[in-house]
Amino acid sequence: MSLSHLETQLRSVLAATAVTADVQIDMDRERRCGFPEVVYGPGKTPAAIRDVFLKQQTAGQNSFATRVTVEQAEFVMRDLPTAIHNPVARTLTQRNRDPEIQGRVIVVSAGTSDRPIAEEALETCRWMGCETDLVLDIGVAGPQRLLAQRHRLAHGDAIVVVAGMEGALPSVVAGWVSVPVIAVPTSVGYGAHLGGIAPLLGMLNSCAANVAVVNIDAGFKGGYLASLIARKPGDATKTAG
């Protein structure tokens, strides 16, 4: 790529930047990356999140925010009453148009305490236009619970497994399926759990070849990667059992 071509592209991206009182919004993100810029809620005023959503809606884009508080969500919904707030996932979604449904992601949580992160992954997948299924509370301490839900794992193009404590569940799930498993360690656990570092290291050392790992409590990242995979499914036959 020539220097002049690169400069032209950079100017095009800069021209597509919308500026509000508090933030600069990358309005070109959807064209380059397939999906609009996502808002990370912590540290932003409710007005800042609202302004991003309004700019995106005016441009015909779908809006999504993560880690929002009830106060932030309620403020945005005064101007966008059709926005969907999931208080468990701490997400806020506003659609300008319905996405093309493509691919299917199964989101699995090891325990009830892991559910907020699992639901963040779930809402991310829905925003990206994937069919979803949520399988709850099937951690390795009760192996019969996974076996009872094993048939549901067969119908995903990608699987997100959310687990705290020792973080063993992704490896167990991966041993039953032929699709990528995105492992999400959570900060759920006691002292030697080290705020999620113990399951993170366990997942990184997984013996299962189809496991990839994202950051601690990163439900959004797990859901995003799984959706990218699911929306471009390969030819492998999915099996679970």
Side-chain angles (χ1 to χ4, degrees):
M1 181 183 296
S2 68
L3 183 60
S4 61
H5 190 167
L6 178 60
E7 182 180 3
T8 299
Q9 285 198 329
L10 287 174
R11 288 183 182 278
S12 175
V13 171
L14 288 173
T17 300
V19 180
T20 72
D22 297 302
V23 295
Q24 297 188 57
I25 312 158
D26 183 0
M27 304 302 294
D28 191 55
R29 184 80 58 89
E30 185 171 25
R31 181 191 66 81
R32 299 193 320 271
C33 304
F35 296 92
E37 184 171 7
V38 175
V39 179
Y40 179 67
K44 293 183 175 65
T45 65
I49 298 173
R50 178 205 57 195
D51 291 347
V52 173
F53 272 42
L54 290 175
K55 288 285 187 182
Q56 290 178 323
Q57 293 300 296
T58 300
Q61 298 182 1
N62 289 334
S63 303
F64 188 59
T66 65
R67 305 299 169 94
V68 296
T69 64
V70 173
E71 177 190 10
Q72 289 172 324
E74 289 179 346
F75 185 93
V76 173
M77 293 172 72
R78 294 175 194 168
D79 291 292
L80 294 166
T82 59
I84 300 171
H85 176 220
N86 182 331
V88 177
R90 294 176 290 170
T91 59
L92 187 65
T93 307
Q94 174 66 46
R95 296 197 186 282
N96 191 287
R97 63 189 186 278
D98 291 330
E100 177 188 359
I101 302 300
Q102 185 176 344
R104 183 176 177 85
V105 178
I106 312 299
V107 178
V108 178
S109 79
T112 304
S113 298
D114 301 308
R115 182 166 183 166
I117 306 304
E119 292 228 18
E120 182 181 66
L122 188 77
E123 293 292 347
T124 302
C125 296
R126 289 173 174 168
W127 175 73
M128 294 177 70
C130 289
E131 292 184 7
T132 58
D133 188 16
L134 178 62
V135 184
L136 295 170
D137 199 20
I138 57 169
V140 296
Q144 76 283 358
R145 295 178 296 186
L146 173 58
L147 294 178
Q149 300 296 329
R150 196 180 67 192
H151 63 284
R152 296 168 67 182
L153 305 180
H155 303 293
D157 297 301
I159 298 174
V160 179
V161 180
V162 180
M165 299 296 183
E166 82 289 356
L169 185 61
S171 294
V172 179
V173 169
W176 289 105
V177 300
S178 63
V179 298
V181 172
I182 309 299
V184 183
T186 73
S187 52
V188 173
Y190 294 102
H193 176 268
L194 300 176
I197 294 176
L200 171 64
L201 294 177
M203 292 172 182
L204 287 170
N205 284 285
S206 174
C207 187
N210 51 334
V211 173
V213 188
V214 297
N215 208 345
I216 299 166
D217 290 337
F220 165 72
K221 182 63 71 66
Y224 197 100
L225 291 174
S227 295
L228 290 178
I229 293 166
R231 291 180 63 84
K232 297 179 180 179
D235 296 327
T237 301
K238 298 180 286 294
T239 58

